[in-house]
Amino acid sequence: MDEEYDVIVLGTGLTECILSGIMSVNGKKVLHMDRNPYYGGESSSITPLEELYKRFSLPDSPPESMGRGRDWNVDLIPKFLMANGQSLVTQGDVCPCVVAGQLVKMLLYTEVTRYLDFKVVEGSFVYKGGKIYKVPSTETEALASNLMGMFEKRRFRKFLVFVANFDENDPKTFEGVDPKTTTMRDVYKKFDLGQDVIDFTGHALALYRTDDYLDVPCLDTINRIKLYSESLARYGKSPYLYPLYGLGELPQGFARLSAIYGGTYMLNKPVDEIVMEGGHVIGVKSEGEVARCKQLICDPSYIPDRVRKAGQVIRVICILNHPIKNTNDANSCQIIIPQNQVNRNSDIYVCMISYAHNVAAQGKYIAIVSTTVETSEPEAEIEPALELLEPIDQKFVAISDLYEPTDDGSESQVFASRSYDATTHFETTCNDIKDIYKRMTGSDFDFENMKRKQNDVFGEDEQ
């Protein structure tokens, strides 16, 4: 271990593993360490089921009705991947290779897709007045939806047609809307959309966590809705993907990538000290040895003095022996409960996967509820979501602090990632990855550039 590295990475969460992989592909000498004996950190998948019971300090072991413990892979952080664009390989509803939202682009361009298989999530639903409804995102679905009355359906259909035809480079498609100055609130007014429709459009289609987006220019929101609709058009059931065997496969895939390009991995390796000199990181001390480095990436748990608390998230893992009611017996789905529907400042999310994804015993389902904590009684905050899941065989409740770095790392060259938020997609995580990459290298993360480097290393000619 007494060597010099360009970058040392502490923690094997998804953010750290993606950055480790990218830095290795870019020719950096990388050492990647984790104090835990397993990959994934906060974003790991726990197996066997007995281990999950131990982790949450439950006094009993799983009952026989839960099946074999090793058939379970339970995510601690529930998220789906947003997929859009062109499918390269499709076998039924398993997509080993997809061009998509930011994370799937990273998977594709670094060729980590070779290690993973994905399944399309079977449905996306939204909560209104105590019930759940399929999220309509096409003209046909809008006209058939029970979410709206007849006149509202027509207005929403006109809005969807406007979004589908909108091209920021063609003013003829603007219909009086200036994408750089017109707010989304004004766009909704233009189409005379009611509050319920605004709720599911902003939160279940554009995937905003709060209503702050209403008073900023509408371009980003229109593009988000287009992304959702195009993804849905390609996959039919929903715009989301989920990896077989759980999200713990994702950090491992990027760890393999780093190893292929010369990265060194050490699990179960205690970190005694981050060695600083003149306010700048120079190495990491472990078991009496010092590995020297020019830059350090780590999750917040390794540098508590360089991060601050930015809130809390509650996540409740629920084991069910039935699909969620009113989801057409879907084996997987997402449910978004918009903030206004339950008098909150942030949305509540439900992610449900099952035995169909090789993460649970036959006939079993895993639903994970998450939201940003707003009161002193977090469990009461998620009650509307838990009611949708009844009856629940077993619950595992976790309340986690959210941390963010106190500085940008430009002086110390120590770059801390942010804690994973309550959303059920990876877009915020990818933004953090791109932000850290830019601060470390001084240049924007370029997907296409990544692809060329990949081809150069493999010696493949550009076609």
Side-chain angles (χ1 to χ4, degrees), residues 9 11-26 30 32 81 102-107 110 112 250-258 265 297 420 426 429-430 432-434 437 445 447 450:
V9 184
T12 52
L14 181 62
T15 303
E16 289 73 34
C17 285
I18 289 178
L19 285 164
S20 172
I22 289 167
M23 292 298 170
S24 296
V25 171
N26 283 352
V30 176
H32 201 146
L81 289 76
Q102 294 188 90
L103 178 54
V104 182
K105 270 188 182 177
M106 290 181 186
L107 285 162
T110 55
V112 170
L250 291 173
Q252 289 189 61
F254 282 98
R256 288 188 198 112
L257 174 76
S258 178
Y265 271 78
I297 302 168
Y420 300 100
F426 280 108
T429 301
C430 290
D432 189 30
I433 289 164
K434 285 164 40 176
Y437 181 89
F445 178 73
F447 292 108
M450 188 81 213

Side-chain angles (χ1 to χ4, degrees), residues 204-435:
L205 295 180
L207 300 178
Y208 287 109
R209 290 177 286 169
T210 69
D211 278 345
D212 295 347
Y213 79 95
L214 286 169
D215 297 309
V216 298
C218 62
L219 179 60
D220 184 48
T221 304
I222 289 172
N223 283 335
R224 282 174 174 235
I225 297 167
K226 280 173 82 78
L227 168 65
Y228 189 102
S229 298
E230 287 164 7
S231 304
L232 191 69
R234 176 149 303 276
Y235 293 107
K237 295 175 181 178
S238 86
Y240 300 109
L241 300 174
Y242 181 82
L244 296 183
Y245 300 101
L247 294 173
E249 296 296 296
L250 291 173
Q252 289 189 61
F254 282 98
R256 288 188 198 112
L257 174 76
S258 178
I260 286 169
Y261 287 92
T264 302
Y265 271 78
M266 295 182 181
L267 294 181
N268 214 6
K269 188 76 172 159
V271 174
D272 303 328
E273 182 189 349
I274 292 168
V275 185
M276 307 291 291
E277 193 174 273
H280 185 287
V281 68
I282 60 164
V284 173
K285 187 175 184 181
S286 173
E287 299 176 314
E289 295 180 302
V290 175
R292 299 178 70 82
C293 66
K294 297 167 189 161
Q295 294 180 306
L296 179 79
I297 302 168
C298 60
D299 73 48
S301 70
Y302 287 89
I303 48 167
D305 56 330
R306 291 178 177 271
V307 293
R308 60 175 163 252
K309 186 174 168 182
Q312 287 185 310
V313 171
I314 179 170
R315 298 183 178 95
V316 182
I317 300 166
C318 302
I319 294 179
L320 317 175
N321 63 8
H322 58 86
I324 298 172
K325 295 184 195 80
N326 303 315
T327 61
N328 300 320
D329 292 341
N331 283 327
S332 55
C333 68
Q334 173 183 253
I335 303 168
I336 294 178
I337 302 179
Q339 56 181 67
N340 288 331
Q341 291 292 325
V342 283
N343 299 314
R344 287 174 48 79
N345 298 319
S346 48
D347 298 347
I348 302 172
Y349 301 92
V350 180
C351 256
M352 195 270 282
I353 61 270
S354 68
Y355 62 94
H357 307 86
N358 304 341
V359 295
Q362 186 65 30
K364 298 293 182 181
Y365 301 78
I366 302 168
I368 307 178
V369 179
S370 57
T371 194
T372 304
V373 173
E374 296 179 2
T375 71
S376 58
E377 296 182 26
E379 288 193 61
E381 296 182 46
I382 54 158
E383 198 53 46
L386 295 178
E387 286 172 6
L388 299 174
L389 307 180
E390 294 292 352
I392 298 168
D393 287 356
Q394 183 64 56
K395 278 192 307 190
F396 305 86
V397 181
I399 297 167
S400 309
D401 291 337
L402 291 175
Y403 292 102
E404 62 185 18
T406 53
D407 66 87
D408 66 3
S410 56
E411 193 173 323
S412 65
Q413 291 298 295
V414 175
F415 302 93
S417 59
R418 294 170 178 267
S419 304
Y420 300 100
D421 63 22
T423 59
T424 51
H425 55 81
F426 280 108
E427 296 304 293
T428 48
T429 301
C430 290
N431 290 339
D432 189 30
I433 289 164
K434 285 164 40 176
D435 182 46

